[in-house]
Amino acid sequence: MADEPVLEIDDIQGHILVGFRGKHQRILGLKLGSENIGDVRKALLPWVGRVTSTARALDYRTAAKVQKAAGAAAAESETVLVAMAVTSSGLATLGAVATLEDPDFLEGAGKSAATLRDAIDPKTGVPVGWRFGDVEEKTPDIVIVFGGDLESAVSAESDLLLSDLGSNALKVVDEWGARIPGEKEHFGFVDGLSQPAPRGLLPDGSPFVHRTLPGGDPAAEAYARPGRPLVWPGQYVFGYASELADSFRPGPDSGGGQAFLKNGSLLVLRRLRQDVEAFRDGMGKLAGDFVAKGIQVSAETAAAWCVGRWPDGSPLTLAPSAADPAIAADEYLANGFLFAQATPAATLDLPDGTMKQFPGSPGDQEGYSCPYFAHVRKVNPRDEQVDFGGSGITRQAQMLRRGIPYGPVWNGVKDDTDRGLLFMSYQTSITNQFHRLIKRWVNDTFAPLRTSGIDPLIGVAVAPGRALTRKFADKNQVRTLLDGNWVRATGAVYAFAPGITELRKLIAGPTS
Amino acid sequence: MFQPPANQDDLAESPDLKNAFLELWNRQSPNLENEVNYMGDFVTIAADNPNFVDPRKTPAIGDSAGVPWNGFPRLLSRYYQDTTSEAARARAEEVAEILTPVVYWFVQRGDGTSLRSALSYQLPLYASNDLDLDELLQIARPLRALLPGDVVGDEILQYRRQQDEYLEWHVNRNTDGTLRRIAFTAEPPDYWRALAEVAPDRVVELYREHVDQQIQKSDLFYPDRVAVFGRFANGSHGWLEVPSFGGQYNALNPWTTTNGVMHLTHGANTLGAEVQLAGDASVPRSVDSLPVTPGQDPAPEILRIACGNYGGINRSSDPNIGLAVGNQVHKGDRITLTDPVGLYIAKIDLNGLSGPNGEPLGPVAGSVTRGHDDPFEPRILRYVVELPTGSNFTLSGCKFDNRPLVRGAQIAREATVQLYVNVYPGSADGNAAGCVGRPCRHPDNGQIFGVGDNQGNCPSIDSPRWLTATPYEGANEGAVPKMGPSDWQEPEKRVLSKDAVSVPPKRGYIWNNREY
């Protein structure tokens, strides 16, 4: 830990490293009038001061925890946190001299629809059914995320920005997200339980992510807590050491030393519409396929197999037959596992100063408990060997996820309501992180490991269906095809969230 | 009987030849010296390794399991650290398509003559007290044809690719340099040598069908007589005939190297190597029982491949295969490679291919031309990327994953290759062998591994052993030994030495400095 860098938490945006935990978010995407860019700059510059830094987001999070621990009724704060990011067209409009070399960022999210297997026009490749980001006219120059507990506060703040810009900006993205009770997503599963732990220090020298494993434990070098790997922060923020694939030593600066990139990150925003009824039907059909092959399983279990966790969040690896609320309720247990190997017991040193006995957890190398095709295993193979190499590849590929659901919760009645996930992730390489996970792992039958099958939750089924292979301890493996898609993109933007200093320079423009 | 890769039925029209092929493919003749036995080798390896089963003796039950790896040469990703910048990424792709010259030499000693070949830039690996590097650089050179009158004729230039994940590709260009076609193959040369042995004309037919219609038989086979340069027992240098090469199939002919691709050419990309790897990996090792610390460094697959000293430690393929086999054996199971034994393209994802106006070309540009696709067990041997006839743009006008398409290597990144394994539950011999070596990191580039001894001694930074982890970046005056000296004699004076002793008959070819 001695050589971990100090993170410039006053400059790195808080949405990247901490996230916005509030109940509501509004995402605005604006095209800026280039003819009157001076007016745009004048209107936007004060808002740079409103962008929440990591330091501020940490303070806010601490305050919220203190309040909760003190047993105070969850007083809803009026605080609104803000993030701001710029697309490649936005960089041009704002007259940025420097830019990024990431081709996926430069081309814009619409140009990546085909490669991610979104529905596209077969002649032009333009994505079909997108509310934004499909064509240039509907691609914003800047994206602003507002997050807070109170919808009215978020609304007021974001409306103020819109009115400040007035006719100097055209709104092309206006999305509202709201947390579902229990931190669930619309299919009914707890989401966001697993995030990598960025290495790095706070200005006072303490680690940014608390280390629970005692110093003498060999796993302490690589894990912040059981099941949560430490990753060099350059994977998420430019200007810091990156993760090497085969070593725990720090790699080169992910920003290549470029001042413009320092403390910034790349934001992937994808509006994913979820068809809950189709998912339920699909899981019923999948269960039926297994039953026909002699495996007695319910639709609920089939769904858990597809996700890798039960709806309450307890992981299949630790709870193979039924949900385990005790595990689900314990954040150290719920994510405290690996796949290839068992995780040893340990005495954990918690952030509040208390000690906790972690009982250890079994592995699941054969995929008997958690099938290889389960979503959590497809996108996070943890300590397993993968098609590119070892677990270091997985550490390189992970992203910080900041998504929030949108739309009303499904009430069991067939409807045509648009609901889903405003997926957001931060990474410093779209190619090697977000795209690698989706293209090479989610949408590939044969990766990351063995014949797993295309991800049955978010992967795109290709005819004749996702080729899923389920292994069992006490009987032969079962192969089955699962057709049907229940997640589809309805809008996407790739943007660059600069460090606040660089953001200010960018918005202010060249000094006269 | 073992079948050829993907059950490919190239001799369907000629049942007699097909029988002859299968007989050759399955022949086991351990008493014939230096014979290459194709799948007969499988039997030998199974006999030597209790956890590696001959599926003809003990039929496999249940489905096969695939062991996948990415098709882009991982060594190049490591060497150029290609996730760090677009320039590094492009450089790795550029080097992936540079072919390396191959050279041969012989050394005659009292007890016999050895014939060796090597990648020219790796010659320092082969120097010894007996044959120092200076002399080796003088004598190592391409083979030459031998003309009537024992006159030494033209060079037989040969190259190998640096694509070592059992996937190789070739880019065909139009006369104006634009990309016309990219062909990917996972076919091992073993199959083609055996096919050429029984049905040489069929080999020519297939090359014409898949590579170029104008191919002549003489392009694909060695001349009737072939000579190699080297050192005689008396210390003099000269040419020596290699009778076993004359007229044989040339597995490094130009139409599968410089001018096209029909099968794999990298020294390690053979069926024999694959079988040997699986056999070696099935030996339980002491490291398999070590408790794995979460986050241990180096990772288990690196530790194991060094311990067992099998395969290439810097690849995607070999560490993956080795660990998968090792884990299965450690669990108590025996394994075999599923018949038909082969290396297969599981998938090449072309969804990122788009035309100048964004036209999605993924669905129309790729085709399986040998082998077959399948949802669960694809066994694609050959995959061709080409635009439909009548396209008013070329592949050079296309983008792949948001980057201009300039190399086949870009597409290789989206390729998954795999082999298939069957498991025999619960019958493994668990006696673990100790380690032969341990992983070492290159002092300058910690992403490159080598294998040191079991005491932790690693090759020094200037050890020629690091050459096997060093890419060939093309001819470079200072760094690469020249192919042969510049003081050639005039052709008519280069005569086969009269007192030469012919190298004893050998079948097959040289791999990894081992004579077959």
Side-chain angles (χ1 to χ4, degrees), chain B residues 377-397:
Chain B
E377 291 188 29
R379 288 184 166 85
I380 299 170
L381 296 173
R382 186 179 185 84
Y383 189 88
V384 176
V385 178
E386 192 164 24
L387 293 176
T389 10
S391 299
N392 54 14
F393 52 84
T394 68
L395 284 172
S396 291

Side-chain angles (χ1 to χ4, degrees), chain B residues 195-216:
Chain B
L195 192 63
E197 183 96 8
V198 302
D201 292 332
R202 183 69 179 127
V203 168
V204 180
E205 259 177 35
L206 288 168
Y207 262 84
R208 284 182 181 152
E209 178 188 343
H210 291 284
V211 182
D212 190 297
Q213 282 172 351
Q214 300 181 45
I215 290 173
Q216 299 300 308

Side-chain angles (χ1 to χ4, degrees), chain B residues 93-171:
Chain B
E93 289 161 4
E94 180 185 10
V95 175
E97 299 191 351
I98 297 177
L99 275 65
T100 59
V102 175
V103 291
Y104 294 77
W105 68 97
F106 75 87
V107 174
Q108 188 184 59
R109 297 184 175 86
D111 55 346
T113 309
S114 64
L115 170 63
R116 302 214 187 282
S117 82
L119 302 176
S120 64
Y121 80 106
Q122 290 186 355
L123 280 173
L125 267 171
Y126 300 86
S128 66
N129 291 336
D130 174 46
L131 180 65
D132 67 24
L133 185 57
D134 284 336
E135 185 180 4
L136 184 51
L137 291 178
Q138 277 186 54
I139 63 174
R141 58 186 72 177
L143 300 169
R144 282 188 181 250
L146 209 49
L147 305 176
D150 286 354
V151 171
V152 178
D154 287 341
E155 286 182 320
I156 303 166
L157 292 177
Q158 292 178 314
Y159 301 84
R160 293 187 187 274
R161 290 193 182 81
Q162 304 195 74
Q163 299 157 7
D164 61 350
E165 306 286 358
Y166 302 101
L167 176 76
E168 296 185 27
W169 61 92
H170 178 81
V171 173

Side-chain angles (χ1 to χ4, degrees), chain A residues 406-428:
Chain A
Y406 75 88
V409 174
W410 191 62
N411 57 6
V413 174
K414 180 177 171 62
D415 65 17
D416 249 327
T417 306
D418 185 357
R419 59 175 62 84
L421 180 69
L422 294 168
F423 172 90
M424 283 178 277
S425 69
Y426 282 102
Q427 57 272 294
T428 49

